[in-house]
Amino acid sequence: RALLTLANGATIALSDTATGEIAQQQGVRILQTAGGQLIYTIPETAAAEDTTQPVYNTISTPKSGQFQVHLPDGSKVWLNTASSLRYPPRFGTRERKVELTGEAYFEINADKERPFFVITAQQKVAVLGTHFNITAYPDVNTTTTTLLTGSIRISGAGTATAILKPGQQAVVDEHIRVSAVDPAEAVAWKNGYLLFDNEDFTTIMSRIARWYDMEIEYQVTPGRIKLGGRVSLSRKLPDVLSALETAAHVHFRLSGKKIVVME
């Protein structure tokens, strides 16, 4: 599920839209596939890009929604729940730039003449062609970038920079901290899972609340509980909470759109 906002302010609910061509901008055809993908294609007969009046589209997913976008350069972006991506329907001749809020997995086509930039609230990522995941939700104090292939350069606050190698992860706040990780954990959501590896209970509950579009109310202090495990995103919320009750030694009560955590 996703909502596409065009440069003229028109919105298209992609989950309610038929497949095929849904719009045209700057000579670019915007297509939706039956598999839930948005594809931008530039016909060979399309006129050259007019860069004097740049325009942008925004695709946003609600809580419990995900969507895949094929950008006009052929790069692919998987957008996770409660996220948005702002991008032009046609990239310029000198660079390719998008803006991300939330979480997304990127597979960027190589183009040495046009570097690709991902802008978030806390950092700027520069790539030529590579695969990586960025988590930059507004309600989380850090931005996390995990590299699967290739190389990327991260610019944080001030002059702080770091270059990641495959299997490395950068966590950015006022500083940039780089560590070795299993990148498969960062992209588990893209493959249909929530994966927890020794994570704080409150962090886990925040991720569950975001996916199932719920709020959390604590009637007990969870303490320093850390859990590991894997949850299929297709499982119903009561089943997930039942498993967590046993592991975390707490009790959950559902009240409308709220998960109440109790003794």
Side-chain angles (χ1 to χ4, degrees):
R1 296 188 297 143
L3 183 71
L4 175 65
T5 303
L6 301 176
N8 61 6
T11 59
I12 302 173
L14 298 176
S15 56
D16 301 329
T17 304
T19 58
E21 183 173 311
I22 60 175
Q24 284 198 21
Q25 281 186 299
Q26 294 185 323
V28 178
R29 300 177 67 212
I30 307 175
L31 311 172
Q32 181 174 215
T33 71
Q37 301 174 357
L38 197 65
I39 301 177
Y40 285 70
T41 62
I42 303 177
E44 294 182 0
T45 57
E49 177 192 14
D50 179 7
T51 58
T52 59
Q53 296 292 332
V55 298
Y56 294 90
N57 291 173
T58 300
I59 185 168
S60 54
T61 55
K63 290 184 177 180
S64 75
Q66 293 181 344
F67 217 80
Q68 182 181 345
V69 186
H70 292 207
L71 296 175
D73 67 333
S75 297
K76 300 177 183 178
V77 182
W78 284 258
L79 206 59
N80 201 1
T81 179
S83 303
S84 67
L85 187 74
R86 184 173 182 263
Y87 55 94
R90 295 184 74 167
F91 289 118
T93 57
R94 301 178 61 182
E95 66 178 21
R96 299 167 288 169
K97 184 169 67 174
V98 302
E99 300 172 17
L100 171 69
T101 300
E103 184 169 24
Y105 171 74
F106 295 83
E107 290 187 353
I108 303 305
N109 280 356
D111 187 341
K112 294 182 179 180
E113 303 300 323
R114 295 188 301 169
F116 194 100
F117 297 98
V118 182
I119 312 298
T120 67
Q122 291 182 309
Q123 70 178 26
K124 179 179 181 179
V125 174
V127 307
L128 292 177
T130 184
H131 299 180
F132 57 98
N133 191 85
I134 297 179
T135 306
Y137 284 106
D139 59 345
V140 180
N141 295 326
T142 58
T143 298
T144 303
T145 305
T146 309
L147 182 64
L148 283 77
T149 66
S151 177
I152 60 177
R153 183 179 72 249
I154 296 176
S155 302
T159 59
T161 63
I163 296 178
L164 293 192
K165 298 178 180 179
Q168 289 186 327
Q169 182 178 88
V171 178
V172 177
D173 41 32
E174 295 86 1
H175 308 283
I176 301 177
R177 299 181 299 278
V178 178
S179 61
V181 298
D182 180 359
E185 296 178 2
V187 297
W189 65 267
K190 173 179 166 288
N191 300 317
Y193 293 95
L194 288 176
L195 194 61
F196 313 116
D197 182 16
N198 197 34
E199 290 189 48
D200 291 332
F201 177 76
T202 53
T203 300
I204 292 173
M205 291 306 301
S206 294
R207 293 175 64 188
I208 288 175
R210 185 181 297 125
W211 174 252
Y212 289 99
D213 192 12
M214 301 289 286
E215 297 179 1
I216 306 294
E217 177 184 314
Y218 289 97
Q219 294 186 358
V220 60
T221 302
R224 295 187 176 182
I225 302 172
K226 291 184 179 291
L227 300 173
R230 185 175 74 168
V231 175
S232 170
L233 294 176
S234 63
R235 292 190 66 179
K236 295 186 180 299
L237 179 58
D239 296 336
V240 175
L241 296 181
S242 177
L244 282 174
E245 281 184 332
T246 302
H249 305 292
V250 295
H251 177 66
F252 297 106
R253 177 170 58 84
L254 294 178
S255 177
K257 298 288 289 183
K258 186 178 295 184
I259 302 173
V260 182
V261 185
M262 309 166 64
E263 288 280 5

